[in-house]
Every structure is written in C-alpha cells, then in structure tokens.
Amino acid sequence: MKSSIFTCKASSFPSTTFKVLKEVKINIIKMELSITRPDDWHLHLRDGKLLEAVIPHSAHHFGRAIIMPNLKPPITTTAAAMAYRESILKALPINSGFTPLMTLYLTDSTTPAEIKLAKESGVIYAVKLYPAGATTNSQDGVTDLFGKCMPVIEEMVKHNMPLLVHGEVTSPEVDIFDREKVFIETVLSPLVLKFPQLKVVMEHVTTMDAVKFVESCAEGRIAATVTPQHLVLNRNSLFQGGLQPHNYCLPVLKRETHRQAIVSAVTSGSKRFFLGTDSAPHDRLKKECPCGCAGIYNAPVALAVYAKVFEEAGALDKLEAFTSFNGPDFYGLPRNTSKITLRKTPWKVPESFSYASGHVVPMFAGEMLDWLPSPV
C-alpha cells in the first residue's frame, strides 16, 4: 500500500488560524498492493474448447495451479496426466509463464507402482481423493479407503506426496450440511492417526469444524485450501430472490457462523491455510437446468474477492502470505519471483464468457468489484 504525503506550511494560511501548529501533514492513501504472484492450489480446467476458453483467466493472475483430475474419463495414470498437461500447455496464451501442477485421481484400483511412477515423472505433485459420488465426475472415486487404498497411502508417505481430500461423506442418511463434519470424524481423523507422516490438504473447507481440525494438527503436515465463495457467501446466497444455480457448489455453502470462522482463520496469518479457488466452469445450460451441475466459475474474480475479504478484516498485510507463500511452502516448492498488482479500482464483472459450445457465467456476473489485479 503506497502513501502520498502532502505538506501544508502554516504560512499558507492566515496567521490567526495557527497558534501552535506549525505544519500540517495530510496523508492520502493510494490503494495499490504489489504482491508476489499467487498460485492456485485447487483448479478445474476441464478439457477441449472449454479448457481453451477458461485457462487465460487463471494464467493471467496465477503462476502455477494444482490441476484437478476429475475429467471424463478421470486422470488415473501418469501417462494420462502427462497427456493432459500437454493439452493445457498448448491451450495457454502465447508467452504465458503459467505452470500446471498435475494430480492423479485415486481409485480403489490405484497401485503403489503408479504412485512411484507419478513421483518420478516430475510433473505430478499430489493425489486427489474423491469419495465416490461426492461431487462432479466423482463416480469413479474411492469406495473403500481403509481397505483397498492402504498400500497406496503407504507409498505416498514414502515419497512425501500429498493427499488432497474432498472432505465429505456420501452416505444418504447424512445431511448434506453435515457431510464435512462427519468426514472429519469418521475418515480424516482416523487416517491422520494411522499415517502421522502423510501430508494432507483438506480442500475447500467450509465449516468451523474443519478450521478447528486443521488448527489442531501438526503444522506442515495438514493444511487447507479456501475458496472465494466460502469466504463471502453463506447458504442464504443459494435462495436470495429465487434459486441461484450459479452459487451452487460442493461442498455446499454453509451457515454464516461457519463463513465467519473461515474468514477469521485465513486472515489471522496462519500458515495452515492457502489459496485454492476450486474454480469450476460449466456451460450455462448445465447450470440453469432441472438438475444443475455443482461448481462456481470464479477464476476471473478470485483475487478481487480475496482482497475484499482481507481488506474488510483489516488484514491486507496478511494477504500475500495467504495467496503466495503458504501454498508453495507446504508443497516444498519455491515461491514465485514475479509480482502482481492489485489496485482499488471499481470494475464490472462480465455477464458471461463465450466459447465454441456456449457460455460460462462467472461468479458475481454483472456486479461491481473494488479490486483490479494486473501483472507488474
């Protein structure tokens, strides 16, 4: 944040105005932040024409991103991950410095040999756990973590490869608003006790239960990503003025008390939380339909929303660590060296973005935001 200081001498005013005061200083704050280029530690890019349409938004703001593997078919092998990586690189804007960090989709049939191969590839950085049926394209996910997947987890510990978890149970008898809490109790806590050396990222946390769990674990072993939507929206946002399909995501938005707990956690300066947008583009027709897809496309607005949250909390001095330091430090990667500028400049979010097959509606479509990010 830059300050411009203008000095007004007492002689510039009638002498009767000033008896003791000899000099007046007026500070005018120019709202501009220069921070280390952020990374996105949880990103959906899809494939084909949709990939080509959305990747410029992430590449414009972020240096690297952990790429989610829930395509159709899912990215379950090292060979598939490397091929997907090549597709992403080909779709990037010319001269882009964006680096995709690939992941594998964990299944009941994943082998320890595949984990070893992934580690040796040099381009795969984590393995993603989707409980079967938990979210978009998760039907091939894990059904028996503590049975069929234990040899794979042991191999991941051996190679210090993080496990990224979609932290929800899928049992139909569990209320959708309680799925994260029950996952922590029945899956994540036992897993961490069994494998204390396993690095785990609890993705897109949505509850105070998740915040408390992450804070209770050893720093450097358990961390969490936090999305823009779970910082600024609560479950009322799904129903204001009618059903709002573009605010529907999984894990679903929660109560206001949970949102406040997450805001407190990320703006506290804790190293356990870092940026992960969970930006998830869907064609407009797949969102605005009788059975709409879960996912919020926030890549174009994410940094503006994060800055808003930290500004309102009086914690702009802690924004850079959350966006740019905590993630690479946890993954054991170097921090970016380039910069990005955030200016307090009002701008209007586009109503939609067109691509070959249709339109994608971004978060806060048509609304005004206060912070405008741009590369230095």
Side-chain angles (χ1 to χ4, degrees):
M1 187 179 298
K2 297 180 179 179
S3 273
S4 299
I5 301 179
F6 295 87
T7 303
C8 304
K9 297 294 184 179
S11 58
S12 301
F13 299 88
S15 58
T16 55
T17 304
F18 300 98
K19 293 183 178 179
V20 178
L21 186 61
K22 299 298 184 182
E23 186 176 85
V24 179
K25 289 186 177 180
I26 305 172
N27 290 328
I28 300 177
I29 303 299
K30 182 181 179 182
M31 297 297 281
E32 181 177 299
L33 299 174
S34 178
I35 63 173
T36 301
R37 181 177 292 275
D39 299 306
D40 187 346
W41 299 97
H42 187 118
L43 177 64
H44 297 272
L45 285 175
R46 313 305 186 202
D47 53 9
K49 294 299 182 181
L50 188 51
L51 163 64
E52 294 174 6
V54 302
I55 194 169
H57 296 139
S58 292
H60 183 67
H61 294 155
F62 300 103
R64 297 168 288 197
I66 285 283
I67 309 301
M68 292 295 106
N70 58 330
L71 301 185
K72 288 185 176 180
I75 305 300
T76 59
T77 67
T78 300
M82 295 178 75
Y84 184 28
R85 179 176 181 272
E86 288 305 309
S87 297
I88 295 169
L89 293 175
K90 288 179 181 178
L92 283 170
I94 296 173
N95 298 324
S96 172
F98 180 83
T99 301
L101 309 176
M102 309 310 295
T103 62
L104 290 187
Y105 184 116
L106 184 64
T107 71
D108 290 344
S109 58
T110 302
T111 66
E114 193 65 57
I115 300 301
K116 183 174 184 294
L117 191 62
K119 182 67 176 181
E120 292 172 348
S121 73
V123 300
I124 298 174
Y125 291 84
V127 175
K128 181 63 183 288
L129 165 63
Y130 290 103
T135 189
T136 302
N137 297 341
S138 63
Q139 62 272 13
D140 298 304
V142 170
T143 65
D144 186 12
L145 179 65
F146 289 99
K148 298 178 180 178
C149 296
M150 288 299 95
V152 169
I153 301 298
E154 291 172 353
E155 189 72 12
M156 290 175 62
V157 172
K158 178 180 176 181
H159 294 289
N160 200 33
M161 182 170 283
L163 178 69
L164 317 181
V165 302
H166 180 109
E168 293 188 290
V169 297
T170 57
S171 302
E173 64 270 17
V174 178
D175 188 285
I176 190 169
F177 293 102
D178 295 329
R179 288 180 177 179
E180 186 170 275
K181 180 177 184 293
V182 175
F183 180 88
I184 293 169
E185 295 169 350
T186 62
V187 180
L188 195 52
S189 289
L191 183 67
V192 170
L193 285 174
K194 187 175 181 64
F195 296 100
Q197 296 306 308
L198 177 67
K199 296 191 77 166
V200 177
V201 179
M202 192 172 184
E203 302 287 1
H204 42 54
V205 292
T206 67
T207 61
M208 65 176 67
D209 306 277
V211 168
K212 289 177 181 178
F213 175 78
V214 171
E215 291 176 340
S216 72
C217 295
E219 187 175 292
R221 307 311 305 178
I222 311 297
T225 57
V226 183
T227 74
Q229 56 264 28
H230 292 110
L231 284 171
V232 296
L233 304 178
N234 60 35
R235 65 186 191 180
N236 288 341
S237 303
L238 291 167
F239 311 108
Q240 289 174 342
L243 189 63
Q244 300 295 325
H246 297 287
N247 287 341
Y248 171 54
C249 59
L250 288 173
V252 72
L253 301 173
K254 301 298 195 300
R255 289 181 179 273
E256 174 64 10
T257 52
H258 293 296
R259 188 194 70 82
Q260 291 177 5
I262 297 169
V263 169
S264 295
V266 301
T267 60
S268 70
S270 171
K271 297 179 180 180
R272 304 168 192 265
F273 301 91
F274 43 85
L275 186 158
T277 65
D278 193 21
S279 184
H282 290 287
D283 187 271
R284 183 173 199 152
L285 294 179
K286 292 184 178 180
K287 292 289 288 181
E288 300 175 8
C289 64
C291 188
C293 294
I296 295 177
Y297 184 52
N298 61 39
V301 303
L303 287 182
V305 175
Y306 287 124
K308 166 187 168 68
V309 170
F310 278 76
E311 180 187 20
E312 290 179 350
L316 279 173
D317 59 318
K318 298 180 175 66
L319 177 65
E320 185 176 35
F322 172 78
T323 62
S324 313
F325 298 161
N326 298 348
D329 292 354
F330 181 85
Y331 275 86
L333 295 173
R335 298 173 177 178
N336 293 322
T337 55
S338 59
K339 297 283 186 177
I340 194 167
T341 296
L342 290 158
R343 293 183 176 88
K344 193 72 177 290
T345 302
W347 62 284
K348 186 176 181 180
V349 181
E351 295 284 353
S352 66
F353 296 96
S354 300
Y355 73 109
S357 301
H359 304 272
V360 180
V361 177
M363 185 181 184
F364 292 132
E367 298 186 31
M368 297 297 296
L369 297 180
D370 292 335
W371 287 93
L372 181 66
S374 61
V376 174

